[in-house]
Amino acid sequence: MSFHGVDFYGLDELLTEDEILVRDNMRAFVDAEVMPRINKAFRDGVLPMDLAKKLGAMGALGAHLKGYGCAGMGSIAYGLLLQELERGDSGVRSFASVQGSLCMTPIYEYGTEEQKQKWLPRMAAGEAIGCFALTEPDFGSNPAGMLSNAVKTPSGYKLNGTKRWITNGSIADVAIVWAKLDGRVRGFLVERGTPGFTTADIHGKFSLRASVTSELVLEDVEVPEDAMLPGAIGIKGPLNILSNARYGISWGAIGAAMACFEEATEYAKSRKQFSRPIAGYQLVQAKLADMLTEITKAQLVSWRLGKLKDSGKLRPQQVSLAKRNNVYWALHIARSARDILGANGVTDEYQCGRHMCNLESVFTYEGTHDIHTLILGQEITGIAAFE
Amino acid sequence: MKILVTVKRVPDPEQKVKFKGTSVDVSAANWVINAFDEYAIEAALRLNENAATGEKLGETIALSIGPKDVSQQLRSALAMGADRAILVGGADEELDSFAVARIVKAVVEREKPDLLLMGKLATDGEASQVPQLCAALLDWPQATFAAQITANAEGLEVKREVDTGIEVKQVKLPAVVSVDLRIISPTAVVNGKTPATHAYQEGPRYASLKGIMAAKKKEIKEISLADLGVKAAPVTKLVSAEPPAGRKAGVKVKDVAELVSKLKNEAKVL
């Protein structure tokens, strides 16, 4: 039985023909390309690398950008695409988010024409892979405090620093490294194999196991003049990019939540205890009712956010609300589904345990839940709790 | 070659069928392209492309008959790669096999395709009549239930799976071909341009996001039955539709002797 999604409030009526086509085609793609092998990939702790080119052929990488081999989709279609990918697995969606939202977008927004021509078509096709190197071992929620630095040399720049928790780090052909030049954060395109640039994968993860997470070390890495992204000056550069990526995460979380809700509902209807299906018990029904309610609310939040984004009215605080809410509830729904599945929920014969573990990372990355709480706190009161 | 491929929308076969009175209730149906029509689209696209170079070898036109919102299924065919689409307006309840065949014939006479490519049946009615009726009305050769299609100098060689093995037919163009499930296997369609070594992915292709964007600019021409000079005038009437009776609970037998006795005396299969 293939996945049918959740549409309690008739959201389909708010979608255009092409948005529905994107969703349905990505759903079929995930059914065929992700579902049959994601368990093994998660168990083995590997990202199925052929997915990069397959996602590229689907046009799923950087689908929101125009030109350079990209599809030029609207924000809602882009969100639905990520929702479907994360219905498969958060690690697979993270791959697409990092490639499209975090790496292709800054090249597209801040890069020179030469940089765009060099990287975007190959990245859109999944032939070249990117990573976004902002977070450092000691600077997560406070990226502006970063220690990585760049100094001007006669032929370009010399970079030093350590980056950590970098998705796609060791498989990337190009790293977008954020480092301070004369005290201001700038972005540099550092190609794999540049002397002094090394990567090491982070192992032992409970979460996002079908995804590559790495540490990047830059020791006197010399890059040419044209490696710098001219359009990004200051910490606002990477922060704007993150805000865009978070928009996609708000959709992705809905996909994971739907997968868990569907699994828990089917399980509850077939699992009998005391000679009747557990779906007939009030405590189980209360959990399912909460799941449906929160998925429906999350859909409406993300749909409206997409409309705001397309009309250019989107504010980062609005993105914070959606990321914070949708990921929080997706994680809650995954835990609740795991609970309904009882002992079966802790095995990888079912998917809710995998989604639950994955969502712990999603809860923390791209601005932790708590940081988004404080952003909203500042929005409401005008007082920043983190400064 | 110029290919006209028919696309029928059907309720999602995975959805539970609902009944209202003596008919099937489709008011809450999730409409999808009939699976065999999707295979026909895939076969048409394979015939009309060099998969190695991306070169187009002919025009693929998707045709559907029904209410206006069938455009969603036609848009899907365009996103897969069809060049343009035709939507003939019609009410579902008036469209029996004979009406559909006469409408398709009228469109064929306008468009003059080399090939009318169709699914072998629609998964809602499962009549499997329209391709054969079209061939008769057009007086064209037909090859039904195609499992393999090879384009050659004389037209098409069509292989069909029959109980005793593979039947091979050679048809001259223009012709009517209906396709079976096997037509979507990786090397089932040979057009002489795509290298013989090329293996397609099993199944109908996904619409890529670029394909979906491109489809927004492609034409869906809406025409009425009056434009075509055809009246639906169905010749069959749906009398009633009802769900099959639910299965009765089985019985438990004590031993083999009782089982054999029941099979012999009650089921009468021994």
Side-chain angles (χ1 to χ4, degrees), chain A residues 59-272:
Chain A
L61 303 174
H64 59 304
L65 305 176
K66 286 194 174 67
Y68 308 98
C70 302
M73 309 258 29
S75 294
I76 306 280
Y78 187 60
L80 288 165
L81 139 71
L82 296 175
Q83 168 192 297
E84 293 305 316
L85 280 180
E86 192 147 359
R87 188 273 294 195
D89 188 80
S90 304
V92 174
R93 199 271 304 143
S94 295
F95 171 81
S97 285
V98 167
Q99 178 84 349
S101 295
L102 287 184
C103 294
M104 293 173 69
T105 310
I107 296 172
Y108 184 86
E109 296 284 344
Y110 304 139
T112 63
E113 190 53 37
E114 288 72 27
Q115 289 168 336
K116 292 182 205 182
Q117 293 289 355
K118 180 173 180 184
W119 290 108
L120 293 179
R122 287 175 59 217
M123 291 175 84
E127 286 162 7
I129 294 177
C131 71
F132 181 87
L134 177 68
T135 299
E136 299 188 356
D138 295 321
F139 295 89
S141 293
N142 176 24
M146 69 171 65
L147 301 175
S148 293
N149 64 85
V151 292
K152 186 80 191 76
T153 64
S155 62
Y157 305 94
K158 187 161 73 181
L159 304 175
N160 275 288
T162 304
K163 299 289 182 180
R164 195 165 163 84
W165 309 114
I166 309 305
T167 300
N168 297 352
S170 67
I171 58 169
D173 299 284
V174 59
I176 299 182
V177 175
W178 301 95
K180 280 181 183 165
L181 176 71
D182 302 327
R184 282 206 293 195
V185 174
R186 306 296 304 253
F188 299 88
L189 301 174
V190 182
E191 294 187 36
R192 191 219 299 259
T194 307
F197 174 44
T198 54
T199 63
D201 284 345
I202 296 168
H203 295 291
K205 291 182 294 177
F206 294 120
S207 181
L208 298 184
R209 291 187 53 76
S211 170
V212 175
T213 314
S214 317
E215 181 168 87
L216 274 49
V217 178
L218 299 111
E219 276 179 324
D220 293 333
V221 174
E222 303 258 7
V223 294
E225 194 92 42
D226 62 9
M228 190 164 75
L229 294 170
I233 302 167
I235 192 67
K236 272 205 155 15
L239 293 190
N240 285 340
I241 299 300
L242 283 167
S243 187
N244 275 307
R246 267 175 216 132
Y247 160 76
I249 291 172
S250 83
W251 280 99
I254 297 169
M258 284 179 177
C260 293
F261 172 64
E262 185 181 88
E263 183 170 75
T265 305
E266 290 306 311
Y267 185 90
K269 278 156 68 175
S270 62
R271 169 77 174 169
K272 285 185 179 161

